[in-house]
Amino acid sequence: MSARDLLKVPPLRIERLSLSEGLAMAEGGSSPFGGLGYGTPDDLAWMPTVNAQVLSARGPMADVWHASGQVQSGTTGLVRWRTDGHWVLGAIDLDETVERQGVAKLAQRAYHDLFKTLEETGCAHLLRIWNYLPQINGDGGGLERYRQFNAGRQEAFLEAGQAAFEGAPAACALGIRQGALCIRFLAGQIAPVPVENPRQVSAYRYPDTYGPRSPTFSRAALAELGGGDVALFISGTASIIGHETVHLGDVVAQTHETLRNLAAVIEAANARTTAEFALPRLEAVVYVRNVADAEAVRSVLAEVLGAEAPTLRHAVFLEADICRQDLLVEIEAHAVAPGTLN
Ligand code: 3EB
């Protein structure tokens, strides 16, 4: 019998709302567990924001999480966290201009505190991490800042005895123009099921041409959310085949390739669960490097998925740098569907 069978999971729900809907809910007395805001104000304690320009018509949006139990909040080092005892949501905003110690050290410190939070809250297993790094493609003293970030991140995973290769959490890592290094995470008491993409080399096995230490993430993660639901967290997905970027300079072809990669990850995930996930039914965030490309990306999504597909209607489009200079678009997503893990 697995840990999943022994432990009853208190239900976690996720909904994507406009900023005003999210605020109305918080004022209506049903205090959310937490949220991840896109272009939202930066003074809401329960909803840390992503400091990027929203390009979609509905404006600022939020993924709002609801837990069933009493929510406790606290801080551990750099981390502000909220937990219901089973799940923990955490946020780190680390201002580099104050710290001045190089991105690798900064990332290592942030992740060190993240893992300390998991220990203190008793939620040992990371499901999903969102990383936002100012000037991600900038030079960090001889090594690109993203590559430095990867070095510090992997080091912290290894130090903490966390899975840095197979079994790593789902993640995304995007560039924002300015502000703090922002890390948001969801962890729980049960390890998720990692999913890889058969069309791609696992990111934690990328050759060192992409930097001295590999990125630490799985292509997706599956977790039972309680209440008979399974969640699929799909990491940032881009126009990469094997380990190489394809369709250089062609945002339309990159978007098509990204959708093929998403479909492949979903197929691999569906083989591990009775839940049925599908490309047209995702809650996606679409990152475009150049604002001028947003309409072309939207058109490809409409062409492939259908203009009325929930994935397109719910998608949040954000301006952000992608971690490789040659990537013009990246899509991440989550979905929840009834089922169990196999
Ligand atoms: C890629 O497939 C694109 O460093 O956490 C996607 C998702 C990417 C997560 C990360 C990076 C990360 O390599 C980049």
Side-chain angles (χ1 to χ4, degrees):
M1 199 183 252
S2 73
R4 289 197 297 274
D5 300 317
L6 294 169
L7 221 156
K8 187 149 168 52
V9 179
L12 187 65
R13 288 198 304 117
I14 320 171
E15 59 181 342
R16 178 161 291 179
L17 302 172
S18 68
L19 174 59
S20 50
E21 289 167 335
L23 293 178
M25 171 174 300
E27 279 162 15
S30 66
S31 172
F33 176 33
L36 188 53
Y38 305 101
T40 52
D42 62 4
D43 58 354
L44 296 170
W46 63 274
M47 184 168 68
T49 188
V50 176
N51 182 20
Q53 197 196 332
V54 181
L55 305 172
S56 25
R58 291 177 74 196
M61 299 290 292
D63 285 326
V64 177
W65 303 70
H66 303 275
S68 45
Q70 191 79 29
V71 175
Q72 275 193 306
S73 58
T75 60
T76 297
L78 300 166
V79 183
R80 294 165 285 129
W81 50 259
R82 296 165 70 84
T83 185
D84 70 345
H86 184 93
W87 304 102
V88 61
L89 279 169
I92 297 169
D93 293 87
L94 185 49
D95 188 345
E96 286 179 61
T97 56
V98 175
E99 301 293 334
R100 298 204 171 282
Q101 48 183 333
V103 180
K105 279 275 172 277
L106 220 58
Q108 192 178 347
R109 212 182 125 204
Y111 272 84
H112 173 269
D113 286 6
L114 188 159
F115 292 127
K116 211 163 143 220
T117 302
L118 303 190
E119 221 172 87
E120 283 187 12
T121 57
C123 303
H125 302 283
L126 276 169
L127 278 71
R128 176 67 161 99
I129 311 186
W130 294 262
N131 300 286
Y132 299 97
L133 179 57
Q135 301 298 326
I136 195 166
N137 303 128
D139 175 51
L143 191 63
E144 187 192 49
R145 283 164 56 82
Y146 173 59
R147 296 177 180 205
Q148 285 212 11
F149 172 84
N150 280 331
R153 172 171 59 175
Q154 193 197 67
E155 186 59 29
F157 268 76
L158 294 173
E159 258 174 19
Q162 284 265 341
F165 302 92
E166 204 188 331
C172 58
L174 284 304
I176 50 177
R177 215 164 284 160
Q178 61 200 5
L181 167 65
C182 300
I183 300 173
R184 287 79 176 88
F185 63 91
L186 171 70
Q189 291 196 340
I190 301 171
V193 172
V195 178
E196 289 301 294
N197 180 345
R199 307 178 83 224
Q200 297 183 314
V201 171
S202 294
Y204 46 77
R205 302 280 178 219
Y206 281 167
D208 63 10
T209 43
Y210 300 99
R213 299 280 194 105
S214 318
T216 307
F217 70 97
S218 293
R219 298 297 177 186
L222 283 165
E224 288 186 358
L225 276 198
D229 283 336
V230 173
L232 172 63
F233 297 100
I234 304 180
S235 295
T237 302
S239 181
I240 295 174
I241 299 288
H243 55 75
E244 284 169 340
T245 302
V246 292
H247 314 300
L248 298 184
D250 183 343
V251 74
V252 167
Q254 285 200 10
T255 308
H256 279 287
E257 203 65 66
T258 299
L259 290 173
R260 284 190 285 272
N261 277 330
L262 287 169
V265 173
I266 291 168
E267 190 185 338
N270 282 341
R272 311 271 184 99
T273 173
T274 63
E276 291 176 28
F277 297 103
L279 190 56
R281 295 195 306 272
L282 303 174
E283 306 297 327
V285 179
V286 180
Y287 299 96
V288 294
R289 182 182 291 277
N290 303 311
V291 175
D293 288 341
E295 272 320 302
V297 172
R298 179 184 298 282
S299 297
V300 174
L301 264 59
E303 180 191 327
V304 174
L305 308 174
E308 290 308 311
T311 299
L312 184 55
R313 285 194 290 115
H314 301 177
V316 180
F317 282 70
L318 294 178
E319 176 191 12
D321 293 332
I322 324 294
C323 61
R324 288 187 190 180
Q325 284 280 8
D326 49 18
L327 289 172
L328 301 171
V329 60
E330 181 170 303
I331 301 177
E332 60 169 44
H334 67 260
V336 177
T340 56
L341 296 174
N342 293 342

